[in-house]
Amino acid sequence: MEERIVVETKGLSIGYVLKGGKQKVVHDCLDLQLFAGEVTCLLGLNGAGKSTLLRTLCGFQPPLGGAIRLMGQPLTSYSQSKFSLTVGVVLTEKTNAGGITVYELVSLGRHPYTGFFGQLKKQDREIIEQSLEAVGIAHKASNYVSELSDGERQKVMIAKTLAQQCPIILLDEPTAFLDVTSRIETMALLHRLSVEQQKAILLSTHDLDLAIQMADRLWLQEKGKAMGCGTPEDLIMSGAFESFFGKEGIVFDAKTGKLNIEMDSSPIGVEGDADTAYWVGNALVRNGYHPSQVKEGQWNICCEGAQKLIVTLPDGTVKMCKTVEDLMKILKAC
Amino acid sequence: MNRQPLVIYLFLLILLSGLFVGGLIYGAVSIPLDSVVNILLGDETERPAWINIVWQSRFPQAVTALLAGSSLAISGLLLQTLFRNPLAGPSILGISDGANLGVAAIMLYFGGSLGLLADFPVSGYLAIIFAAFGGAVAILSLIIYFSAKVRNNVMLLIIGIMIGYVASSLISVLNYYASSDKVHAFVMWGLGNFSGVSLEQLPYLMGFSIVGLLLSLLLIKPLNALLLGEMYASNLGVKIKRIRMLILFCAGLLTATTTAFCGPISFIGLAVPQMARLLLGSSNHKMLVPVTLLMGACVALLCNLLMVIPGTNNLLPLNAVTPILGAPVIIYVIVNRKNIQYFD
């Protein structure tokens, strides 16, 4: 299937107009493309301008320069009502919707379609029900919004954008404040919707692991740099991650896709059962060691199984231990 | 689950009719029930004084209470939704004080010797309405200005209270330089009263109130979208600036009209929307606006009845009665806010 660009920016400059007409540019020369049927994650440290970019794309603040095209047409040609049929948003703004039901909240997504008094027609009701089904919250349709967990609330807000029937969905940190299961659920839901309903989904997040795991495409934003765009894998292998997140004392480990604390300790060889070796490595990194290939003349750990760790000291002495806890005791003792 | 709205409408309509008729039957002067019924049925053989009392005093008073209660309650609801704070209200945000100041300027500064509103010629009470409206809108504009600067709603309420104090201090300056009869008239007006509107003045009150109440019914759809906040609402196609102005205009008109005719009435605007939400179990404005409207009328009519001290010819001031009904509701709501959905 041909890739369909739904949002495109050319030389976009974002930021604020200060008092006296001066412009404070947060980021400029942005050439971005958002594709239908894909989840794109916007990653960047605090202050990189993620929110400014999202707000600009959401139409809440005007761009300082350059062009944004939605569905092939310039943003400036969109009226507010046409825009509301094109871009649906999920924000971090606090809502006061605790006193209405899930169904009523999702029905607000039909707002751009309904008449003066917001009366729902049969077709509207069908779309609301489909939206509730699509995010898997239909069983709570008649519950108060205040009775929902944070994860369920995000689902409801996503259902609202589905009811809005927009080809583009923009989400500002939808996984913040969620517990770990809800984060994965939310990301998986967004990914499924992007494929099933051919939505173009852009979300900002601080969840590096999840973004690498679930996003079709990443935008890496940093002040004063061109946006790093591409699939997570390409960005990792090209070393783009390293340059975006590598701060002093923090290194990006291209093997695991994780940010680690930098250290210059000598390497410790780890081999054996993959699961055990992985977790032994995890403990080593936390304690300031550097897991690596097994080599003569250094500490080596052979993992025979979860309960059987064989430690070989540089001088050839062999020690056995059962738990990672014991292993760390041996390491620290030397 | 939402309670059955139809049952609630029916209940409130019956209650409203009961309280309205009660207001015609029961008052400081005791008139036998059958005489009241006869008078209401157009029997002109009853005592002329009684006919006068029922038609010239009790009837306009009940209609005034009905409209004033609805107006204040709707005004409170609009402000609560707009400022996204269930504890906002015309008196808390200083809007009543603004209307008060406008009225004070007319009554104390320009006004001749006057008793209550009843003595004003038509141009006089129109002037009072416009002055009240001007004062209310002035304070509202200030609040809007600060609402853009102060995002925190509790802080905004405190600013409202402060602005109210400033308006009150201006009123005391006006009081200080006014003659004692004017001051007395103003103080009496300030105690709140549904009986100050004569049958001839009633159409003016009705006109302004009904325009405001109808306007509020037209705002139901954007009010619901505003439950999600202004950014979400804007994304749903709500023209925020225009709607904000309309809501404030509507709230200002309703508060100003009521204040001009009945004095500054406390607590109805703050407490009735809470009672309506609790009764309805929903903050969906499609039901909430009509229920608040009916409930406001009921509460005001009830206050109107409670003003009569049983067995005497004396009346309590209105503002002595409304807090007794309103304050416990607010305290209940605050104490139980963790279990009340619409606070979330």
Side-chain angles (χ1 to χ4, degrees):
Chain A
M1 197 172 144
E2 202 190 335
E3 284 191 320
R4 200 156 54 87
I5 301 172
V6 291
V7 180
E8 191 171 27
T9 74
K10 282 265 162 64
L12 176 67
S13 171
I14 57 171
Y16 301 88
V17 179
L18 302 173
K19 270 181 193 158
K22 264 195 192 166
Q23 292 187 342
K24 185 182 182 298
V25 177
V26 174
H27 212 151
D28 57 2
C29 302
L30 291 168
D31 296 328
L32 303 168
Q33 292 171 329
L34 200 64
F35 297 92
E38 286 190 1
V39 172
T40 303
C41 278
L42 174 59
L43 291 168
L45 301 173
N46 281 340
K50 297 193 299 294
S51 301
T52 312
L53 176 59
L54 272 177
R55 274 204 294 275
T56 309
L57 293 176
C58 290
F60 294 138
Q61 67 185 72
L64 296 181
I68 304 176
R69 296 177 81 83
L70 300 176
M71 315 302 289
Q73 288 165 311
L75 178 66
T76 44
S77 75
Y78 277 77
S79 66
Q80 194 188 351
S81 49
K82 189 177 165 200
F83 189 83
S84 67
L85 304 177
T86 312
V87 178
V89 300
V90 175
L91 306 166
T92 46
E93 192 179 21
K94 194 187 168 294
T95 64
N96 280 31
I100 60 174
T101 63
V102 168
Y103 188 94
E104 285 167 327
L105 197 157
V106 174
S107 74
L108 289 176
R110 297 306 294 165
H111 205 282
Y113 300 86
T114 54
F116 196 79
F117 287 98
Q119 213 58 42
L120 298 171
K121 296 201 181 70
K122 185 162 168 276
Q123 189 203 358
D124 295 312
R125 293 183 188 284
E126 280 168 8
I127 290 163
I128 293 164
E129 271 149 33
Q130 285 162 11
S131 308
L132 286 164
E133 291 287 343
V135 303
I137 199 87
H139 59 292
K140 297 221 165 166
S142 52
N143 282 60
Y144 283 115
V145 173
S146 64
E147 294 166 349
L148 302 183
S149 69
D150 289 339
E152 288 168 331
R153 277 184 203 215
Q154 285 300 11
K155 284 187 188 170
V156 174
M157 294 317 286
I158 293 168
K160 181 224 66 163
T161 62
L162 293 181
Q164 218 175 325
Q165 292 189 305
C166 303
I168 303 161
I169 301 177
L170 305 178
L171 307 94
D172 190 9
E173 303 205 11
T175 56
F177 313 114
L178 298 189
D179 60 38
V180 71
T181 336
S182 311
R183 280 170 199 228
I184 298 171
E185 258 187 22
T186 307
M187 283 298 283
L189 167 66
L190 290 172
H191 199 268
R192 184 165 56 77
L193 293 175
S194 74
V195 175
E196 284 177 3
Q197 308 200 10
Q198 283 299 301
K199 305 270 186 200
I201 296 179
L202 172 66
L203 62 133
S204 64
T205 179
H206 284 292
D207 248 318
L208 198 59
D209 300 353
L210 214 49
I212 290 172
Q213 197 186 333
M214 304 280 227
D216 296 297
R217 211 173 281 266
L218 298 180
W219 291 357
L220 304 179
Q221 192 174 19
E222 193 183 335
K223 268 207 163 124
K225 272 191 191 176
M227 186 83 83
C229 304
T231 63
E233 295 76 15
D234 286 333
L235 288 170
I236 290 171
M237 290 188 287
S238 70
F241 261 94
E242 186 70 55
S243 65
F244 271 96
F245 293 101
K247 267 190 179 175
E248 211 160 295
I250 307 280
V251 287
F252 181 79
D253 185 343
K255 262 200 216 81
T256 59
K258 282 197 169 73
L259 288 171
N260 287 331
I261 301 157
E262 191 173 29
M263 59 217 114
D264 45 19
S265 55
S266 51
I268 294 181
V270 183
E271 62 176 357
D273 168 54
D275 281 356
T276 319
Y278 176 82
W279 290 113
V280 167
N282 191 58
L284 288 174
V285 168
R286 182 173 64 245
N287 286 283
Y289 302 99
H290 176 33
S292 73
Q293 300 285 319
V294 170
K295 252 192 274 172
E296 286 289 319
Q298 64 175 29
W299 284 73
N300 287 314
I301 301 165
C302 179
C303 310
E304 298 263 305
Q307 297 288 305
K308 212 171 174 192
L309 306 168
I310 306 160
V311 186
T312 317
L313 272 59
D315 58 7
T317 339
V318 175
K319 288 189 179 175
M320 301 278 290
C321 46
K322 277 197 164 176
T323 63
V324 173
E325 194 175 341
D326 293 340
L327 174 67
M328 290 303 131
K329 275 181 194 151
I330 296 173
L331 280 172
K332 281 174 185 166
C334 300
Chain B
M1 275 301 291
N2 290 338
R3 302 210 174 83
Q4 216 20 270
L6 260 182
V7 177
I8 292 176
Y9 290 147
L10 206 66
F11 165 72
L12 286 174
L13 278 173
I14 292 170
L15 186 66
L16 179 65
S17 329
L19 288 166
F20 189 87
V21 174
L24 298 179
I25 295 170
Y26 181 62
V29 177
S30 67
I31 304 173
L33 180 61
D34 50 341
S35 300
V36 175
V37 173
N38 283 340
I39 292 166
L40 288 177
L41 293 173
D43 185 349
E44 293 185 356
T45 58
E46 291 288 340
R47 263 196 256 174
W50 288 358
I51 296 178
N52 240 337
I53 287 174
V54 170
W55 281 118
Q56 298 294 322
S57 161
R58 287 185 188 175
F59 177 74
Q61 188 171 343
V63 175
T64 304
L66 189 156
L67 289 170
S70 302
S71 299
L72 288 174
I74 289 294
S75 171
L77 175 63
L78 293 174
L79 294 170
Q80 286 171 9
T81 301
L82 183 67
F83 288 107
R84 307 176 66 200
N85 189 332
L87 294 177
S91 41
I92 296 243
L93 285 170
I95 297 157
S96 297
D97 294 307
N100 224 348
L101 178 60
V103 174
I106 296 288
M107 279 178 80
L108 296 174
Y109 198 75
F110 299 109
S113 64
L114 48 97
L116 287 176
L117 265 178
D119 297 340
F120 267 78
V122 171
S123 60
Y125 55 79
L126 276 184
I128 286 192
I129 295 174
F130 284 119
F133 187 65
V137 167
I139 300 283
L140 265 175
S141 321
L142 264 178
I143 300 283
I144 300 166
Y145 171 78
F146 282 114
S147 76
K149 303 220 153 207
V150 181
R151 282 275 157 214
N152 185 319
N153 278 324
V154 176
M155 296 300 135
L156 191 67
L157 286 189
I158 293 174
I159 288 181
I161 293 169
M162 292 302 125
I163 294 175
Y165 278 131
V166 174
S168 305
S169 96
L170 291 179
I171 293 172
S172 33
V173 171
L174 284 171
N175 261 321
Y176 186 75
Y177 288 106
S179 60
S180 63
D181 56 331
K182 287 183 194 168
V183 172
H184 180 74
F186 183 70
V187 168
M188 292 309 288
W189 172 84
L191 292 174
N193 204 333
F194 291 135
S195 60
V197 184
S198 68
L199 203 56
E200 293 72 41
Q201 294 167 338
L202 200 56
Y204 293 91
L205 170 65
M206 286 177 81
F208 284 107
S209 311
I210 289 173
V211 166
L213 293 173
L214 285 179
L215 185 58
S216 76
L217 291 176
L218 303 183
L219 289 168
I220 286 175
K221 186 179 167 184
L223 281 171
N224 271 341
L226 278 173
L227 286 176
L228 297 182
E230 292 193 354
M231 300 237 270
Y232 274 119
S234 154
N235 178 250
L236 290 170
V238 175
K239 303 207 166 30
I240 292 294
K241 274 190 185 154
R242 186 191 302 171
I243 290 298
R244 195 190 247 263
M245 292 319 289
L246 269 176
I247 291 175
L248 289 172
F249 172 80
C250 189
L253 178 69
L254 289 170
T255 307
T257 307
T258 312
T259 308
F261 282 101
C262 309
I265 300 168
S266 58
F267 277 103
I268 290 184
L270 181 59
V272 171
Q274 318 282 353
M275 295 158 75
R277 286 195 200 93
L278 290 174
L279 178 71
L280 190 61
S282 171
S283 33
N284 185 344
H285 292 80
K286 212 170 278 176
M287 288 93 78
L288 187 56
V289 170
V291 167
T292 304
L293 198 152
L294 290 174
M295 197 145 206
C298 290
V299 168
L301 283 165
L302 180 65
C303 289
N304 188 38
L305 287 179
L306 292 176
M307 279 166 69
V308 183
I309 305 170
T312 68
N313 284 352
N314 293 328
L315 291 176
L316 284 171
L318 180 56
N319 273 333
V321 177
T322 51
I324 295 171
L325 282 181
V329 173
I330 300 303
I331 293 170
Y332 171 84
V333 164
I334 290 176
V335 169
N336 291 289
R337 69 186 181 286
K338 290 257 151 60
N339 305 321
I340 294 176
Q341 286 86 7
Y342 62 79
F343 257 91
D344 198 354

